[in-house]
Coordinates of all heavy atoms in Angstrom, one line a residue:
M96 N 3.2 38.4 2.5 CA 4.2 37.5 3.0 C 5.5 38.2 3.2 O 6.3 37.9 4.2 CB 4.4 36.3 2.1 CG 5.3 35.2 2.6 SD 5.6 33.9 1.4 CE 3.9 33.3 1.1
A97 N 5.8 39.2 2.4 CA 7.1 39.9 2.4 C 6.9 41.3 3.0 O 7.8 42.1 2.9 CB 7.7 40.0 1.0
G98 N 5.8 41.6 3.7 CA 5.5 42.9 4.2 C 4.8 43.7 3.2 O 4.2 43.2 2.2
K99 N 4.7 45.0 3.5 CA 3.9 45.9 2.6 C 4.7 46.6 1.5 O 4.2 47.5 0.9 CB 3.2 47.0 3.5 CG 2.3 46.4 4.6 CD 1.1 45.7 4.1 CE 0.2 45.4 5.2 NZ -1.0 44.6 4.7
Q100 N 5.9 46.2 1.3 CA 6.7 46.9 0.3 C 6.1 46.8 -1.1 O 6.2 47.7 -1.9 CB 8.1 46.2 0.2 CG 9.0 46.8 -0.9 CD 9.4 48.3 -0.6 OE1 9.6 48.7 0.5 NE2 9.5 49.0 -1.7
Y101 N 5.3 45.8 -1.3 CA 4.7 45.6 -2.6 C 3.7 46.8 -3.0 O 3.5 47.1 -4.1 CB 3.9 44.3 -2.7 CG 2.7 44.2 -1.9 CD1 1.4 44.5 -2.4 CD2 2.7 43.7 -0.5 CE1 0.3 44.4 -1.6 CE2 1.6 43.6 0.2 CZ 0.4 43.9 -0.3 OH -0.7 43.8 0.5
L102 N 3.1 47.4 -1.9 CA 2.3 48.6 -2.2 C 3.1 49.7 -2.8 O 2.6 50.4 -3.7 CB 1.6 49.0 -0.9 CG 0.5 48.0 -0.3 CD1 0.1 48.4 1.0 CD2 -0.6 47.8 -1.3
L103 N 4.3 49.9 -2.3 CA 5.1 50.9 -2.9 C 5.6 50.6 -4.3 O 5.6 51.4 -5.2 CB 6.4 51.1 -2.0 CG 6.1 51.6 -0.5 CD1 7.3 51.3 0.4 CD2 5.7 53.1 -0.5
D104 N 6.0 49.3 -4.5 CA 6.4 48.8 -5.8 C 5.3 49.0 -6.8 O 5.6 49.4 -8.0 CB 6.9 47.4 -5.7 CG 8.1 47.2 -4.8 OD1 8.8 48.2 -4.5 OD2 8.3 46.1 -4.3
L105 N 4.1 48.6 -6.4 CA 3.0 48.6 -7.4 C 2.6 50.1 -7.7 O 2.2 50.4 -8.8 CB 1.8 47.8 -6.8 CG 2.0 46.3 -6.8 CD1 0.9 45.6 -6.0 CD2 2.1 45.7 -8.2
T106 N 2.7 50.9 -6.7 CA 2.4 52.3 -6.9 C 3.4 52.9 -7.9 O 3.0 53.6 -8.9 CB 2.5 53.1 -5.6 OG1 1.4 52.7 -4.7 CG2 2.3 54.6 -5.8
A107 N 4.7 52.6 -7.7 CA 5.7 53.1 -8.6 C 5.5 52.6 -10.0 O 5.9 53.3 -11.0 CB 7.1 52.8 -8.0
A108 N 5.0 51.4 -10.1 CA 4.9 50.7 -11.4 C 3.6 51.1 -12.1 O 3.3 50.7 -13.3 CB 5.0 49.2 -11.3
G109 N 2.7 51.9 -11.5 CA 1.5 52.4 -12.1 C 0.3 51.4 -12.1 O -0.6 51.5 -12.8
Y110 N 0.4 50.4 -11.2 CA -0.7 49.5 -11.0 C -1.9 50.2 -10.3 O -1.7 51.2 -9.6 CB -0.3 48.3 -10.2 CG 0.4 47.2 -11.0 CD1 1.7 47.4 -11.4 CD2 -0.2 46.0 -11.3 CE1 2.4 46.4 -12.1 CE2 0.5 45.0 -12.0 CZ 1.8 45.3 -12.4 OH 2.4 44.3 -13.1
P111 N -3.1 49.7 -10.5 CA -4.3 50.3 -9.8 C -4.3 49.9 -8.4 O -5.0 49.0 -7.9 CB -5.5 49.7 -10.6 CG -5.0 48.4 -11.1 CD -3.5 48.6 -11.5
V112 N -3.6 50.7 -7.6 CA -3.5 50.4 -6.1 C -3.7 51.8 -5.4 O -3.5 52.8 -6.0 CB -2.1 49.8 -5.8 CG1 -1.0 50.7 -6.3 CG2 -1.9 49.5 -4.4
I113 N -4.2 51.7 -4.2 CA -4.3 53.0 -3.4 C -2.9 53.6 -3.3 O -1.9 52.9 -2.9 CB -4.8 52.7 -2.0 CG1 -6.3 52.1 -2.1 CG2 -4.8 54.0 -1.2 CD1 -6.9 51.8 -0.7
P114 N -2.7 54.8 -3.8 CA -1.3 55.4 -3.8 C -0.7 55.3 -2.4 O -1.3 55.6 -1.4 CB -1.6 56.8 -4.2 CG -2.9 56.8 -4.9 CD -3.7 55.7 -4.3
T115 N 0.6 54.9 -2.4 CA 1.3 54.6 -1.2 C 2.7 55.2 -1.2 O 3.4 55.0 -2.2 CB 1.4 53.1 -1.0 OG1 0.1 52.5 -1.1 CG2 2.0 52.7 0.4
V116 N 3.1 55.8 -0.2 CA 4.5 56.4 0.0 C 5.0 56.0 1.3 O 4.3 55.7 2.3 CB 4.6 57.9 -0.3 CG1 4.0 58.3 -1.6 CG2 3.8 58.6 0.8
D117 N 6.4 56.1 1.5 CA 7.0 55.8 2.8 C 8.1 56.8 3.1 O 8.8 56.6 4.0 CB 7.5 54.4 2.8 CG 8.7 54.2 1.8 OD1 8.9 55.0 0.9 OD2 9.5 53.2 2.0
R118 N 8.2 57.9 2.3 CA 9.2 58.9 2.6 C 8.6 60.3 2.7 O 7.6 60.6 2.0 CB 10.3 58.9 1.4 CG 11.0 57.6 1.2 CD 12.1 57.7 0.2 NE 11.6 58.2 -1.1 CZ 12.4 58.6 -2.1 NH1 13.7 58.5 -2.0 NH2 11.9 59.2 -3.2
P119 N 9.2 61.1 3.6 CA 8.6 62.5 3.7 C 8.6 63.3 2.4 O 7.6 64.0 2.2 CB 9.5 63.1 4.8 CG 10.2 62.0 5.5 CD 10.3 60.9 4.5
E120 N 9.6 63.1 1.6 CA 9.6 63.9 0.4 C 8.6 63.4 -0.7 O 8.4 64.1 -1.7 CB 11.1 63.8 -0.2 CG 11.6 62.4 -0.5 CD 12.4 61.8 0.6 OE1 12.1 62.1 1.8 OE2 13.3 61.1 0.3
D121 N 8.0 62.3 -0.4 CA 7.0 61.8 -1.4 C 5.6 62.1 -1.0 O 4.7 61.8 -1.8 CB 7.2 60.2 -1.6 CG 8.5 59.9 -2.3 OD1 9.0 60.7 -3.0 OD2 8.9 58.7 -2.1
L122 N 5.4 62.7 0.2 CA 4.0 63.0 0.6 C 3.3 63.9 -0.4 O 2.1 63.7 -0.6 CB 4.1 63.7 2.0 CG 4.4 62.8 3.2 CD1 4.6 63.6 4.5 CD2 3.4 61.7 3.4
P123 N 4.0 64.9 -1.0 CA 3.2 65.7 -2.0 C 2.7 64.9 -3.2 O 1.9 65.4 -3.9 CB 4.3 66.7 -2.5 CG 5.3 66.8 -1.3 CD 5.3 65.4 -0.8
L124 N 3.2 63.7 -3.4 CA 2.7 62.9 -4.5 C 1.3 62.3 -4.3 O 0.7 61.8 -5.2 CB 3.7 61.7 -4.8 CG 5.1 62.1 -5.2 CD1 6.0 60.9 -5.4 CD2 5.1 63.0 -6.5
L125 N 0.9 62.3 -3.0 CA -0.4 61.7 -2.7 C -1.5 62.7 -3.0 O -1.4 63.9 -2.8 CB -0.4 61.4 -1.2 CG 0.5 60.3 -0.7 CD1 0.3 60.1 0.8 CD2 0.3 59.0 -1.4
P126 N -2.6 62.2 -3.5 CA -3.8 63.0 -3.8 C -4.3 63.6 -2.5 O -4.1 63.1 -1.4 CB -4.8 62.1 -4.5 CG -4.4 60.7 -4.0 CD -2.9 60.7 -3.8
E127 N -5.0 64.7 -2.7 CA -5.6 65.4 -1.5 C -6.7 64.5 -0.9 O -7.5 63.9 -1.7 CB -6.2 66.7 -1.9 CG -5.2 67.8 -2.2 CD -4.4 68.2 -0.9 OE1 -5.0 68.1 0.2 OE2 -3.2 68.6 -1.1
A128 N -6.8 64.4 0.4 CA -7.8 63.6 1.1 C -8.1 64.3 2.4 O -7.2 65.0 3.0 CB -7.4 62.2 1.3
A129 N -9.2 64.0 3.0 CA -9.6 64.6 4.3 C -8.6 64.0 5.4 O -8.2 64.7 6.3 CB -11.0 64.2 4.7
T130 N -8.3 62.7 5.3 CA -7.4 62.1 6.2 C -6.6 61.1 5.5 O -6.9 60.7 4.3 CB -8.1 61.4 7.4 OG1 -9.0 60.4 6.9 CG2 -8.9 62.4 8.3
Y131 N -5.5 60.6 6.1 CA -4.6 59.7 5.5 C -4.4 58.5 6.5 O -4.3 58.7 7.7 CB -3.2 60.3 5.2 CG -3.4 61.4 4.1 CD1 -3.8 62.7 4.5 CD2 -3.1 61.1 2.8 CE1 -4.0 63.7 3.5 CE2 -3.2 62.1 1.8 CZ -3.7 63.4 2.2 OH -3.8 64.3 1.2
A132 N -4.3 57.3 5.9 CA -4.0 56.1 6.6 C -2.5 56.0 6.8 O -1.7 56.0 5.8 CB -4.6 54.9 5.9
V133 N -2.1 55.8 8.0 CA -0.7 55.5 8.4 C -0.6 54.1 9.0 O -1.3 53.8 10.0 CB -0.1 56.6 9.3 CG1 1.3 56.3 9.7 CG2 -0.3 58.0 8.8
K134 N 0.2 53.2 8.4 CA 0.2 51.9 8.9 C 1.7 51.4 8.9 O 2.5 51.8 8.1 CB -0.7 51.0 8.1 CG -0.3 50.9 6.6 CD -1.2 50.0 5.8 CE -2.5 50.7 5.5 NZ -3.4 49.9 4.6
P135 N 2.0 50.4 9.8 CA 3.3 49.8 9.7 C 3.5 49.0 8.5 O 2.6 48.3 8.0 CB 3.4 48.9 11.0 CG 2.2 49.3 11.8 CD 1.2 49.8 10.8
K136 N 4.8 49.0 7.9 CA 5.1 48.1 6.8 C 4.9 46.7 7.1 O 4.5 45.9 6.2 CB 6.5 48.4 6.3 CG 6.7 49.6 5.4 CD 8.1 49.6 4.9 CE 8.4 50.8 4.0 NZ 9.7 50.9 3.5

Side-chain angles (χ1 to χ4, degrees):
M96 185 185 299
K99 303 290 187 184
Q100 177 64 37
Y101 70 93
L102 293 172
L103 297 163
D104 296 340
L105 291 169
T106 296
Y110 278 74
V112 56
I113 297 176
T115 308
V116 302
D117 68 340
R118 301 187 305 170
E120 58 267 33
D121 291 337
L122 288 174
L124 300 177
L125 295 179
E127 288 294 330
T130 57
Y131 293 81
V133 180
K134 61 183 74 174
K136 276 188 181 179

